[in-house]
Amino acid sequence: MMMNHKKKNAIILVAVSIAFVAIVIWIAWGNSALMVNEIKITNDKIPQSFEGFRIAQVSDLHNAELGKDNNKLIEKLNECEPDIIVLTGDLIDSNHTNLEVALSFARQAVKIAPCYFVTGNHEAWVGSQYEELKTSLENAGVTVLQDEAIELNYGDECIQLIGLNDPDFSERDSFLSESILETKLSEINISNGFTILLSHRPELFNVYQNKNIDLVLSGHAHGGQFRLPFLGGVIAPNQGLFPKYDAGTYTENGTTMIVSRGIGNSIIPFRVNNRPEIVLVELHR
């Protein structure tokens, strides 16, 4: 009986150990297994010349490297064959800032397609280092959008691309973020044509809806960090537990917002059931 009891305990210990190792391997795989999430956007305001226009979105890199010198990320971006690449904030991480990782990625990305960048809260938190990052991105050929709108032209047709600085550049009090972005958007001449807004913060979706924006590309939520079946993300910055806007597509009052799960991590160094992603948006009339 004693031997049977010891044998049973040994079997349980081995089974628990195997299960633990399997979970660790699964989590490690899930943090590096980059995927492409393809989303089609249909809108009558999209000009004919922009039919099939492809936008690759990279968000929340947080100095992560997928493969040597981010070769896995660059390879996936190449496969997407995008017309433009948009970088929607937190390219760096204020807790362990490495400008060279971010800039090396940017220098490679601009060889694939024109790149457009807006800041996230981590760019706001690095102080004077942000100016160095901004200048270096521009020198690499990246267009940095700071509370401004530009036109993307195909022939004699165009769509409007708007980029907002993260509200933490103005004030880190989250209660003021809504009014900060409302003011910024009110000062931009938003067109009546098809408009795309790059803004890091998905929790301010109600602001975007009130400003005649057709499509918002956002990040920040990290997919809720830990994703539960049927429930979605568990926690997100500025949204707390079980965030409303954690990942995917949301449409309200004529405005569609796509929230990227992002690529890297910040305060919590790993994610669960939440693979890093490139969002590939394709426009259709």
Side-chain angles (χ1 to χ4, degrees):
M1 292 292 292
M2 183 67 70
M3 289 297 294
N4 287 340
H5 183 67
K6 287 183 177 179
K7 186 177 180 180
K8 182 179 179 181
N9 286 344
I11 291 171
I12 291 173
L13 180 61
V14 169
V16 169
S17 299
I18 291 172
F20 177 77
V21 170
I23 290 171
V24 169
I25 292 173
W26 176 66
I27 291 174
W29 172 84
N31 278 259
S32 61
L34 179 65
M35 63 176 289
V36 176
N37 182 11
E38 298 185 29
I39 300 174
K40 286 183 169 57
I41 295 295
T42 302
N43 191 305
D44 289 341
K45 291 167 68 176
I46 295 171
Q48 184 61 47
S49 57
F50 282 84
E51 176 68 26
F53 192 82
R54 293 159 75 87
I55 304 167
Q57 180 191 9
V58 174
S59 195
D60 298 273
L61 190 64
H62 285 285
N63 292 137
E65 287 188 277
L66 299 182
K68 184 179 179 180
D69 202 22
N70 261 318
N71 66 326
K72 291 182 180 178
L73 175 55
I74 292 298
E75 185 178 311
K76 281 285 187 188
L77 273 175
N78 232 333
E79 292 171 1
C80 290
E81 298 183 338
D83 292 288
I84 63 171
I85 298 169
V86 297
L87 313 173
T88 51
D90 287 359
L91 193 60
I92 57 174
D93 193 290
S94 61
N95 299 309
H96 46 87
T97 305
N98 188 329
L99 296 186
E100 188 49 41
V101 170
L103 293 172
S104 174
F105 162 71
R107 293 184 194 110
Q108 296 176 81
V110 295
K111 295 177 182 177
I112 299 171
C115 293
Y116 300 86
F117 169 76
V118 294
T119 57
N121 52 297
H122 279 261
E123 279 81 29
W125 294 352
V126 295
S128 60
Q129 280 185 293
Y130 171 64
E131 286 305 317
E132 182 182 350
L133 174 67
K134 176 178 179 290
T135 299
S136 298
L137 286 172
E138 290 174 335
N139 289 341
V142 176
T143 300
V144 178
L145 296 175
Q146 296 192 132
D147 305 329
E148 59 189 304
I150 63 172
E151 288 184 351
L152 300 180
N153 294 284
Y154 262 35
D156 60 352
E157 294 181 306
C158 69
I159 59 178
Q160 188 177 47
L161 183 66
I162 304 167
L164 293 182
N165 250 0
D166 191 85
D168 277 8
F169 275 93
S170 303
E171 175 59 63
R172 287 188 66 168
D173 186 341
S174 59
F175 291 105
L176 298 176
S177 296
E178 183 171 329
S179 60
I180 289 169
L181 290 198
E182 279 183 345
T183 300
K184 289 175 182 289
L185 284 171
S186 296
E187 293 172 350
I188 294 172
N189 185 18
I190 299 173
S191 77
N192 291 321
F194 187 74
T195 54
I196 301 174
L197 171 66
L198 310 181
S199 183
H200 188 61
R201 305 292 192 107
E203 71 272 13
L204 300 174
F205 188 28
N206 63 306
V207 175
Y208 313 142
Q209 296 171 44
N210 296 328
K211 298 297 181 179
N212 197 35
I213 303 296
D214 296 299
L215 176 63
V216 182
L217 300 178
S218 188
H220 192 48
H222 293 202
Q225 200 72 36
F226 314 118
R227 295 188 66 79
L228 302 177
F230 309 111
L231 294 177
V234 173
I235 189 168
N238 301 103
Q239 294 189 72
L241 291 173
F242 300 106
K244 182 176 182 181
Y245 305 116
D246 58 346
T249 305
Y250 306 86
T251 299
E252 295 180 34
N253 299 320
T255 300
T256 296
M257 179 173 70
I258 298 173
V259 183
S260 168
R261 297 198 305 271
I263 290 175
N265 302 307
S266 183
I267 296 173
I268 303 172
F270 64 94
R271 48 178 69 195
V272 175
N273 195 32
N274 181 19
R275 289 170 61 185
E277 70 173 358
I278 295 169
V279 175
L280 181 61
V281 179
E282 192 170 279
L283 304 182
H284 294 279
R285 286 178 59 79

